[in-house]
Structure formats: C-alpha cells, structure tokens
Amino acid sequence: MTMDERLTSLVELLSADARGRADVEALLGRVENIDDELDELVSLLVHRVFGDRQDDGSLSVLTYLVERNPNLYLARTSRKIRDVVRARELPFLFITDNLLLQLAKLIVGPDSDNQTSASVDARDALFRLCAEPYRQQSIQNTKQTLGNLENLWQYLLNQKDAAARRKSSSLVIRIASFMVDLCMLGGDVFALADEGGEASVMGKLITLVSSKEDPLMQASALDQLGRLAAFPMTNERASFLLGNKSLHNCLFALIEADLNGEAALRVITDICGVGINAPVSLDADTRKQFTDLLRKLHLRLQNTHPYGELEQLSYINAVSSLVTASLTPGSSSDSETIMNDSRLISGWLSLQSLTRPRLKGVTLSSLAQAIEPSMRLSNPGDDPSARPSDRMVIKLLQTFGEANDHRDPTELLIASAKAPFIEERLGSVDVIRALSMRGASLRMMLLYNGGTEGCTFVDWLMDEENDPTREGKKAKYELISSMLECNSTIIEGVLPSAVVRELLEWKKGGPSHRRRISWEMATQ
C-alpha cells in the first residue's frame, strides 16, 4: 500500500468515528513520527476541506487532530490553509460556516501564544477569504467571521475567574485587532460591526476601553480604536467616530481619570483629524456630537499643564487639531472663542518656551497642518472637503507672531528655516509651503522687507545652500512645486519673470537642482 493510500485509509477511519481505537491510534502514531507523512496527512485533509463539496468529515478530523496535539498540528494546519487560500481564487474554494468558525478558532487556538506563526497564518487565510475581489461571497464570509470572532471574544471576556481573564488578555486584543482589520475593508463591513448599539462589536470595544480591570488591555483597546481613524475614510467609520456620544464620554472619562489619559487624548486628536479631513457630509446629529467633542476638548486643554516631552507632544497635537477643526468652514464650533484664547494659543505656538528642536519642529508642522489640512494626510492627493478661509489663516499667523514676542511671522519662519537643527528647519519649511499654497499669504510673505538681517522671502527662497541636507533639499523642492502649482494664475504677477523661470527650472530639475545663472542676474 502506497503512502497516499495509507493516509487516505487513515482519514476514512478517523472520519468514520474510529477515533480512539487502538489500531487507528497506532496507525496515526506511526504517521506522526515521520515528518513527511505528517505533512502529507495535513495537506490531504486541507485540500479535501476546501475542494470537496461532498466531504463532510475532513474538517472534523482536522479539528480533532489540532485539539488532540497542538504542537504537531496547529502550525502545520495554519500554514497549509494559508498556502491553499493564497494559491486558489475564492470561487474555487468551498467555504462553509463551520470552516470559517474553525479558522477563527485557530487564531486563538490552543498554544497559539507560543506558536504565533500559526495564529498569523490562520489570520492571513481568513482575511483573504473576507477581502476583495469577490465581494458578494466575501461579504457573507465577513459577516459570518465577525459573528464567530465576537462569540469567541465574548467567551474570553465573560470568564468568571479574573486570573483567567488576565491570562486571555492577549487573545482578546488579537481578536479585536483582527475585527478592526476587517472593519477597514469598507463601509459595508463597518456597518455590520456597528449594528446593534452597545451589543455590537464597536459597542463592546467601547466597553472594553471603559473597563478598569486591566490597564494594559485597556491601552491596547485604545490603540485599536485609534486605528479606525486612519485614511482613506468611509462615511460609516466617520459617522461612528464623530457622532458616537458613548465613545466620546468614555475617552474624556479616561483623561480625567489620568490612567491611560494620554492614549485617550491621542484618540480624540485622531477623531478631530477625521472631522477635519473626512470626505463626508455629516448629518445634523453627528455634527452636533462632534461640536460637543470640540467644546469639551477646549475646556480640557485649558486645564492641561504638560510636563515632559511626551506630554508636550500630545498637547501640541491636540491644540493643533482643535484649532484646525474649529477653523474648517462648516464647523459649528466657536472658532473666535478658541482663537482668542491667548493662553491656549501661546501654549501651542510659542517657540521660545521650547528648548528641544524636535518640539519646535512638531509645533511648526502642526501650524502648517492647521493652515493647509491636506498636509495631515499621507496621500496629498486626498484633498480635505474644506480649508480655512484666508482671513482665518492671516489671523492665525498674526497670533503666531504675538505668541513669540510680537515678531513678524515671516521673520520668525525665515529664522527657523536657518536654525542649526534640521527638525526646526523642516518644520518651518512646512509652514512656508502651506502659506505658499495660498495667494493671500504668499503675497504677505513677499511684502516682508528682510528685517534687521536684510533677508527677504525671495532671498531665502532662491538660496539653494540654506539647507544642504537631503531632507532639506526635498522639502524646499516640495515647497517650490506646491507654490507654482497652486498659484499658476498669479505667480508671474507677484514675482520677477527671471525668478519664475528659475523656479520652473528648479521644479523640472528636482531636489538636486543647481542654478545655472547667478542670483544677481536672476534679480535684474
């Protein structure tokens, strides 16, 4: 009898309720002692599971073997399932509800904490079955998978013994992470996860964040919530993040309790970013809830006194997001009240109070993002639905100058662009780039007469040597490209023609461009 025949015979015996019989166990034991035969046994079972619509026993046998000896079967089974799913397209895979359940169990299966590759492989296979391109079938798989994961999740969370719950915390977060992965597939999937209020997947995630039993698990759950704010954004996710009052109350309660408060503030800051850039027309109730969130955030930041670099970074990002959201046209928040809060704005924009170049760079970059919200996005092609008005941008610049000894904003930016530390230089170039994308603020910078140092904006702009680093040259090139693209109709009217020609050559030549004519000739 060949190996294939022996393995097929063994599978038939195991499928026919012969498990535990001495002869069957002996035969299985011999197979398990030979790696090649063991691999072939798992391969045979997996191919039967996915390919034979008449086969009812192979999945049961495979489940039995994994539970019987996880050390031998868990990693092999997960790896083989991953390979089969990767190699074969969805319409040619036979998928049952029970198969999806067993795959979900493999993610948190016995000994999966020690055999992490098995969990990763099972997760990879299950995710592929839920993703595109066969959307009609995959959405059914996703709905079933979300239900299976939710049941496993609930089982782990409802264990009566606190020690057992703590021991299962990594499995709980593993499931939560995978459910968030699925939610990122599209709005239709997120709608499934948000269906049912507090009893939904999202409702239970909020409950997990609210729980004080395990601070580490709470912090991990906050991380998963923060992932939902990633772009590209869907209407369903945006509506949940901006309009869910229970979520907002939970996050502010964590900030007040101080435990994991910084993490909660980061999530609120991310939610503000969604409100600034989300391509969604908010309904009245969602808009009201988001406005309430901004009002609460303003009050909370008024009473915040950051200590240490991490707290200062969180504070800078939070104030920046609050101001940007309030300046966005269509926002119901009182932007004038926020802009007139001198203590808040000075705490955000004062460079002289900061000793570390990194903090200065972050402050300047956050100002750039407030002026041009599209700079918040990793893909600059995804434009925000609205930008602050020119009037509000000029007012923000004036406030920036007032927060720094009432100096001229352009003078401040050029000084920072010449600073010895690259973090500050790059942050300043970010602000100048954001201003250069608007005709009104570009004209304002061109009016600067050079101050005590006699360096005008054009002098600085045309100086190729003011930042010799690779990052600096790239930032300067992006500034010039944005300025030319956003002001194509006015650029020749505000700059000398020789300068415009040189800038166009610079844009064409790339970051490493070298001017071929002297600066004196260019300005004649």
Side-chain angles (χ1 to χ4, degrees):
M1 182 182 295
T2 65
M3 182 175 68
D4 287 344
E5 291 173 336
R6 284 191 290 106
L7 292 177
T8 301
S9 175
L10 176 59
V11 169
E12 298 301 333
L13 287 170
L14 290 170
S15 302
D17 294 327
R19 302 167 196 168
R21 272 178 23 189
D23 58 333
V24 175
E25 289 296 319
L27 180 57
L28 184 57
R30 285 195 295 272
V31 170
E32 291 175 346
N33 284 327
I34 304 174
D35 284 344
D36 288 345
E37 292 201 11
L38 186 57
D39 289 338
E40 284 297 322
L41 174 61
V42 171
S43 179
L44 175 63
L45 287 167
V46 169
H47 280 290
R48 280 193 173 196
V49 164
F50 281 102
D52 189 350
R53 294 176 181 272
Q54 305 302 318
D55 178 69
D56 295 324
S58 296
L59 179 59
S60 174
V61 173
L62 200 54
T63 304
Y64 162 72
L65 293 175
V66 170
E67 293 176 350
R68 174 179 176 272
N69 193 332
N71 287 333
L72 280 180
Y73 290 99
L74 181 61
R76 281 183 168 87
T77 300
S78 297
R79 183 169 57 251
K80 189 60 187 178
I81 288 174
R82 179 205 64 189
D83 292 343
V84 168
V85 172
R86 284 181 177 180
R88 298 168 68 180
E89 295 180 334
L90 191 53
F92 304 103
L93 294 171
F94 181 45
I95 310 299
T96 65
D97 291 347
N98 190 31
L99 173 58
L100 294 173
L101 173 60
Q102 299 307 323
L103 280 174
K105 286 183 176 181
L106 283 177
I107 295 175
V108 292
D111 204 35
S112 59
D113 275 340
N114 296 322
Q115 300 189 62
T116 54
S117 63
S119 176
V120 171
D121 289 340
R123 177 174 174 154
D124 179 272
L126 194 51
F127 184 81
R128 286 173 180 272
L129 293 178
C130 295
E132 299 282 7
Y134 302 98
R135 196 62 181 149
Q136 185 173 1
Q137 183 175 347
S138 64
I139 193 66
Q140 296 171 354
N141 293 342
T142 305
K143 184 174 183 178
Q144 182 66 36
T145 298
L146 279 173
N148 293 335
L149 292 170
E150 186 178 1
N151 290 335
L152 290 171
W153 198 28
Q154 199 63 47
Y155 167 77
L156 294 170
L157 289 172
N158 288 344
Q159 295 176 100
K160 293 183 179 180
D161 183 43
R165 289 196 299 274
R166 284 193 296 271
K167 188 176 180 181
S168 301
S169 61
S170 64
L171 303 182
V172 169
I173 294 303
R174 191 181 301 165
I175 293 175
S177 174
F178 186 44
M179 288 194 289
V180 170
D181 285 344
L182 295 178
C183 288
M184 303 297 278
L185 285 173
D188 48 359
V189 180
F190 187 86
L192 294 174
D194 195 32
E195 192 174 54
E198 292 184 4
S200 67
V201 170
M202 289 297 108
K204 290 173 182 174
L205 184 56
I206 294 173
T207 301
L208 185 60
V209 169
S210 303
S211 174
K212 300 177 181 179
E213 183 178 52
D214 188 338
L216 290 177
M217 186 162 67
Q218 184 184 65
S220 297
L222 281 167
D223 288 341
Q224 298 309 316
L225 271 177
R227 290 178 58 210
L228 293 172
F231 282 80
M233 182 58 58
T234 65
N235 289 0
E236 292 81 0
R237 263 194 297 133
S239 295
F240 167 76
L241 292 168
L242 302 176
N244 192 298
K245 186 175 181 179
S246 296
L247 170 62
H248 300 168
N249 290 341
C250 166
L251 293 172
F252 280 108
L254 283 179
I255 293 176
E256 295 298 333
D258 201 34
L259 187 66
N260 283 320
E262 287 299 314
L265 180 60
R266 284 195 296 272
V267 176
I268 292 173
T269 301
D270 290 340
I271 291 174
C272 289
V274 173
I276 295 164
N277 288 314
V280 58
S281 299
L282 303 179
D283 58 54
D285 185 58
T286 301
R287 189 178 297 280
K288 178 181 180 301
Q289 295 301 332
F290 183 50
T291 301
D292 287 345
L293 178 140
L294 295 178
R295 178 180 55 79
K296 290 179 181 178
L297 179 58
H298 184 196
L299 293 173
R300 185 66 186 83
L301 291 173
Q302 286 179 319
N303 297 309
T304 298
H305 308 283
Y307 296 99
E309 185 173 0
L310 290 179
E311 288 190 12
Q312 284 182 306
L313 287 171
S314 295
Y315 179 80
I316 291 167
N317 288 328
V319 177
S320 168
S321 296
L322 171 67
V323 172
T324 309
S326 71
L327 292 177
T328 302
S331 171
S332 303
S333 61
D334 190 351
S335 59
E336 293 291 342
T337 299
I338 294 173
M339 290 293 294
N340 291 330
D341 188 339
S342 58
R343 181 180 176 278
L344 182 76
I345 301 299
S346 294
W348 168 35
L349 294 178
S350 176
L351 298 181
Q352 57 194 10
S353 64
L354 303 174
T355 58
R356 300 193 177 188
R358 181 189 178 195
L359 290 174
K360 290 184 179 182
V362 169
T363 298
L364 288 164
S365 292
S366 70
L367 174 59
Q369 293 170 2
I371 295 168
E372 187 55 55
S374 65
M375 294 176 70
R376 288 175 169 267
L377 303 177
S378 58
N379 182 0
D382 294 334
D383 291 328
S385 56
R387 304 162 77 198
S389 66
D390 287 343
R391 182 182 72 84
M392 296 308 293
V393 167
I394 298 299
K395 182 172 182 178
L396 184 59
L397 274 180
Q398 292 170 343
T399 306
F400 173 57
E402 291 168 2
N404 291 277
D405 290 337
H406 296 271
R407 294 173 65 187
D408 184 285
T410 306
E411 180 185 9
L412 279 168
L413 292 172
I414 291 177
S416 287
K418 295 180 176 181
F421 300 103
I422 189 170
E423 297 93 340
E424 185 175 353
R425 294 199 303 269
L426 292 179
S428 180
V429 174
D430 276 348
V431 181
I432 296 173
R433 177 187 169 200
L435 293 172
S436 297
M437 294 167 72
R438 295 168 174 268
S441 49
L442 175 60
R443 288 186 177 96
M444 185 204 73
M445 290 190 292
L446 290 171
L447 290 173
Y448 174 62
N449 62 11
T452 57
E453 294 186 7
C455 178
T456 67
F457 172 67
V458 175
D459 291 335
W460 172 83
L461 183 67
M462 298 302 292
D463 185 357
E464 296 173 340
E465 303 301 328
N466 52 32
D467 195 333
T469 66
R470 177 184 174 187
E471 297 87 350
K473 289 182 180 295
K474 180 181 177 183
K476 191 78 166 285
Y477 172 74
E478 290 174 348
L479 185 166
I480 289 170
S481 296
S482 297
M483 183 176 68
L484 293 173
E485 290 169 5
C486 297
N487 299 282
S488 58
T489 59
I490 67 167
I491 195 69
E492 293 186 355
V494 297
L495 286 173
S497 57
V499 174
V500 174
R501 286 196 299 273
E502 183 60 34
L503 292 176
L504 289 170
E505 286 294 322
W506 197 333
K507 180 183 177 184
K508 182 179 179 181
S512 59
H513 169 75
R514 301 287 298 179
R515 192 166 54 245
R516 290 177 298 189
I517 61 174
S518 68
W519 171 232
E520 289 76 12
M521 291 179 62
T523 53
Q524 285 178 356

